[in-house]
Amino acid sequence: MVSTAAYGTWPSPIDAALAATHDGRPEFVGIVGEEVWWTEPRPAEGGRRALVRRRADGTTESVLPEPWNPRSRVVEYGGVPWAGAAREAGGPLVVFVHHADQRLYAYAPDGSEPPRPLTPVSATGGGLRWVDPHLHLDRGERGEVWCVLEEFTGPAPTDVRRVVAAVPLDGSAADDRAAVRELSDDRHRFVTGPKLSYDGRRAAWIAWDHPRMPWDGTVVMTAEVTDEGTFTGVRPLVGDTGESVVQVEWDRDGTLLFVSDISGWWELQRIRPDAVPGAVVPSSRLCSGRGEEFGGPLWKIGQSWFRLLDNGLIAVVHGRGTTRLGVLDPETGELVDAAGPWTEWAETLAVQDTRVVGIAASPVSAYEVVELDTATGHTRVLGARHEDAVDPAHYPEPRTRTFTGPGGREVHAHVHPPRHPDRTGPDGELPPYVVWAHGGPTGRAPLVLDLEIAYFTSRGIGVAEVNYGGSTGYGRAYRERLAGQWGVVDVEDCSAVALALAEEGTADRARLAIRGGSAGGWTTAASLTGTDVYACGAISYPILDLEGWTTGETHDFESRYLESLVGPYAEVPERYRERSPINHTDRLTAPFVLLQGLDDPICPPVQCERFLERIEGRGIPHAYLTFAGESHGFRRTDTLVRALEAELSLYLQTFGIGRSDVPVLELTR
């Protein structure tokens, strides 16, 4: 029987601990022999990642015990941290990057020896870091790992170089930096791991330079590979300052397939490696003209949106706003999507024979490892299977909507109304709503089940995830709406969605909130200091001071990101000052909670501390919660629980909602 209760007071079986145990998702799937391997989060184990293998008999086990943590810190966001290969004797061999020391290790999980280091430790700056490994067991005397080396040359976060390198598998480089072979020079600031052609004679990788981000412009570099394993004839093949190439793969015929947004959408194209730079084979028979994305932003090194099958077909992740897994016939252009409920496929794929393995989620299921057999069209879940911890009637039923922003522009959003199997709101009462601003800002909110969202909606608080102008998934023109307009377009679009929900009678105008982390934290803070739309806000590991962030208070990868988002600092310094929330604390009247990891190299605590100094004595209710051992994004169970309960308590206090099952967040004035 359904009873009436005020919004926000509904009982819910989804507590913060349950939401925390489901935080994170599997990543970086691969096939080793007949087995499928991937990494997945372990919030209860100090936030480490586990490397999991699914054996041919269907059983799964963790490859590495605690405290081993396969996670790279290259460009701080990392990327593919492991590679594995089957062997005739001794079982599979895996190489992985251990998060604690960033060394590359080799390990035979079927043997008795512990992981052995392959690379040395450096005391300079952030040391030596590795990512996107590719195993070549037949290279060198005992095999090599080709990967990206990030090497710090001084104490500053921007004192760094990156090259394509080869690490011997025999361990001779474990204490000898000179034993690492550099395959490329450091002419480019950023590189991805090298892909070797089927005949072993050519290599290709992606490179780019400051001030561009990889979604602004990248180039594909190619080289001839000598019998000794060195690179010669290195040259750019395709890509430019205004063209973003995010993945390359060799075909068996010696051509190179790549994903480029030269058309305005990330699409699959093909080129001959001996072609004159820019001479792209017409792509009309691949995937052009569909008005959807076949790629995405390269935030992590080694992400993949397509893989070539043995029969010549191509598995692709594609879509507009949401993503699907499809099988593309490059000869006819026919594209057939996999059956199933999934609305989001992650940027990781692996193939073997007719099998395609990826990671997918839906509005009623979290991310799980899924296999498609292209011969039969059958799909099945292989690992990290979603299991309902509560009655799915407590999950929200999201609605994907398009709103109208300033100037009539489209603004995309996923709206999650409150939902409960046994409760409804009183007649005449509208529910409170929280606008979620995603991070990036070059990113998007996927249409998937998120127990953090259900934590609020099952209690009677709605959530609206806004894919504001600048978000990916809608073409380059939509992505570039944020060029020079960060802190304007994102703030306006979030406000437009919030106010539209209030005006149409979906949300209570007096009970609107906003929350976000990283770039979403920036949008949240900018919204609270620049508009009167929201009653309160939850700000996590934010950017608050553009001048500080662009002058040494962040890491190398994003150190010049603001040149495209805001403008060159030397040319528009006043814009940096005018946009920064830290310079407008006098406009701040809404209560807020500020959540910060103390080990965050991307958005350091110093920005939060300066922000709090500016509001001291102004009587604004607020709380500042810091978490030792947490970096950019929270991973530990206790942190996730504390942060989520603090956020809910802020809303309850601000909106005047009474309930006694949530720890009270002490607000300072």
Side-chain angles (χ1 to χ4, degrees):
M1 179 177 179
V2 177
S3 59
T4 299
Y7 289 108
T9 68
W10 301 348
S12 173
I14 304 172
D15 60 15
L18 179 62
T21 60
H22 289 75
D23 189 77
R25 69 188 198 191
E27 283 187 299
F28 307 124
V29 69
I31 296 178
V32 181
E34 296 299 317
E35 301 179 355
V36 178
W37 294 29
W38 63 89
T39 69
E40 63 182 40
R42 293 284 191 269
E45 297 176 9
R48 81 177 184 107
R49 306 283 304 183
L51 181 59
V52 177
R53 65 191 290 191
R54 183 187 189 275
R55 295 181 179 271
D57 63 5
T59 60
T60 60
E61 63 185 39
S62 180
V63 176
L64 299 161
E66 291 187 77
W68 295 106
N69 185 358
R71 181 174 149 226
S72 170
R73 284 189 60 189
V74 169
V75 303
E76 295 302 344
Y77 294 109
V80 179
W82 74 275
R87 300 180 297 176
E88 292 183 1
L93 177 71
V94 61
V95 296
F96 66 94
V97 181
H98 181 44
H99 182 255
D101 59 15
Q102 289 298 290
R103 298 175 85 181
L104 197 63
Y105 287 80
Y107 180 52
D110 293 346
S112 58
E113 298 297 319
R116 54 185 176 85
L118 298 179
T119 58
V121 174
S122 170
T124 303
L128 302 176
R129 300 176 179 179
W130 312 85
V131 74
D132 202 8
H134 299 265
L135 266 173
H136 298 290
L137 300 180
D138 57 347
R139 292 273 175 186
E141 294 184 5
R142 293 184 59 186
E144 291 182 326
V145 188
W146 290 10
C147 50
V148 174
L149 162 60
E150 180 179 79
E151 182 173 26
F152 283 80
T153 58
T158 53
D159 294 336
V160 64
R161 61 191 294 269
R162 299 176 185 89
V163 296
V164 175
V167 176
L169 278 172
D170 63 4
S172 57
D175 297 305
D176 183 7
R177 168 65 180 83
V180 175
R181 292 196 307 121
E182 294 193 7
L183 300 173
S184 72
D185 58 28
D186 57 3
R187 73 180 74 176
H188 293 294
R189 190 72 169 188
F190 304 96
V191 292
T192 65
K195 302 293 181 68
L196 189 64
S197 62
Y198 281 85
D199 63 6
R201 308 305 301 174
R202 287 188 170 98
W205 63 97
I206 297 169
W208 68 98
D209 291 288
H210 283 319
R212 295 185 300 279
M213 299 299 287
W215 41 85
D216 297 324
T218 61
V219 294
V220 176
M221 303 297 295
T222 61
E224 304 294 323
V225 181
T226 68
D227 292 339
E228 293 74 30
T230 59
F231 287 4
T232 185
V234 177
R235 70 182 182 98
L237 181 65
V238 70
D240 203 347
T241 55
E243 177 184 0
S244 170
V245 178
V246 293
Q247 185 185 350
V248 295
E249 300 288 341
W250 292 98
D251 204 343
R252 287 169 176 77
D253 63 1
T255 60
L256 191 69
L257 276 76
F258 62 99
V259 173
S260 163
D261 72 347
I262 190 67
S263 70
W265 297 87
W266 273 304
E267 295 177 335
L268 193 59
Q269 301 188 46
R270 185 190 301 271
I271 192 171
R272 297 183 302 275
D274 55 353
V276 175
V280 178
V281 175
S283 58
S284 59
R285 298 181 69 184
L286 293 180
C287 60
S288 64
R290 297 178 184 268
E292 55 182 329
E293 306 279 32
F294 286 74
L298 195 63
W299 277 102
K300 298 183 178 182
I301 307 299
Q303 292 173 314
S304 60
W305 292 266
F306 75 94
R307 293 292 186 194
L308 283 76
L309 292 153
D310 291 344
N311 58 12
L313 300 177
I314 306 172
V316 294
V317 173
H318 70 106
R320 186 176 189 272
T322 59
T323 56
R324 303 179 297 281
L325 174 65
V327 178
L328 175 69
D329 185 335
E331 295 300 320
T332 66
E334 182 182 11
L335 178 60
V336 178
D337 288 333
W342 303 286
T343 54
E344 185 71 19
W345 287 80
E347 48 285 304
T348 178
L349 291 175
V351 297
Q352 182 190 59
D353 299 326
T354 61
R355 295 195 300 162
V356 182
V357 181
I359 295 173
S362 79
V364 294
S365 61
Y367 285 94
E368 47 196 0
V369 181
V370 180
E371 177 191 74
L372 164 68
D373 187 336
T374 60
T376 64
H378 178 67
T379 56
R380 61 173 178 158
V381 177
L382 292 184
R385 179 184 294 275
H386 171 79
E387 295 183 0
D388 290 316
V390 300
D391 183 347
H394 290 92
Y395 299 159
E397 292 182 335
R399 306 164 186 169
T400 297
R401 298 183 55 184
T402 302
F403 294 85
T404 301
R409 65 178 182 249
E410 291 184 345
V411 181
H412 304 288
H414 306 310
V415 179
H416 305 257
R419 183 174 184 241
H420 195 288
D422 304 320
R423 297 292 189 278
T424 187
D427 290 340
E429 180 183 347
L430 295 176
Y433 259 79
V434 184
V435 168
W436 283 30
H438 65 70
T442 308
R444 65 183 173 88
L447 182 64
V448 300
L449 175 64
D450 185 337
L451 287 190
E452 282 199 15
I453 293 177
Y455 177 78
F456 294 106
T457 58
S458 62
R459 286 168 169 76
I461 299 174
V463 171
E465 298 179 286
V466 181
N467 283 322
Y468 48 79
S471 301
T472 57
Y474 307 96
R476 185 162 185 138
Y478 192 86
R479 197 166 78 236
E480 290 185 341
R481 285 186 187 176
L482 214 54
Q485 296 297 309
W486 196 35
V488 178
V489 167
D490 50 324
V491 171
E492 290 177 346
D493 286 359
C494 287
S495 296
V497 171
L499 293 174
L501 291 173
E503 290 168 3
E504 70 185 23
T506 297
D508 185 344
R509 174 65 182 87
R511 296 191 294 174
L512 297 174
I514 185 169
R515 68 102 81 165
S518 188
W522 153 270
T523 300
T524 298
S527 297
L528 293 178
T529 57
T531 77
D532 62 357
V533 174
Y534 308 101
C536 62
I539 309 168
S540 299
Y541 37 92
I543 302 158
L544 299 168
D545 180 1
L546 295 180
E547 287 186 289
W549 210 66
T550 199
T551 54
E553 287 184 356
T554 190
H555 62 143
D556 182 63
F557 179 59
E558 293 178 275
S559 61
R560 298 181 67 181
Y561 192 6
L562 299 184
E563 292 192 29
S564 59
L565 292 174
V566 182
Y569 179 65
E571 299 177 11
V572 289
E574 71 287 347
R575 190 182 297 171
Y576 281 65
R577 291 187 287 272
E578 174 59 30
R579 300 263 181 92
S580 294
I582 199 169
N583 295 325
H584 297 294
T585 54
D586 58 315
R587 304 176 187 170
L588 183 62
T589 59
F592 67 92
V593 60
L594 192 55
L595 308 166
Q596 178 67 50
L598 293 178
D599 297 337
D600 191 341
I602 298 172
C603 296
V606 64
Q607 294 222 343
C608 292
E609 293 161 4
R610 287 203 302 269
F611 186 82
L612 293 172
E613 289 173 1
R614 299 285 183 93
I615 68 163
E616 188 173 359
R618 291 201 49 237
I620 301 169
H622 69 277
Y624 180 43
L625 304 183
T626 60
F627 303 97
E630 292 284 11
S631 181
H632 197 65
F634 303 145
R635 293 176 172 83
R636 299 180 178 182
T637 298
D638 54 348
T639 302
L640 295 164
V641 169
R642 180 71 177 112
L644 199 55
E645 290 180 339
E647 183 180 347
L648 177 58
S649 179
L650 173 70
Y651 301 153
L652 298 178
Q653 294 181 57
T654 304
F655 298 152
I657 299 171
R659 58 186 308 154
S660 59
D661 59 344
V662 179
V664 176
L665 175 68
E666 296 295 332
L667 297 176
T668 301
R669 292 182 179 272

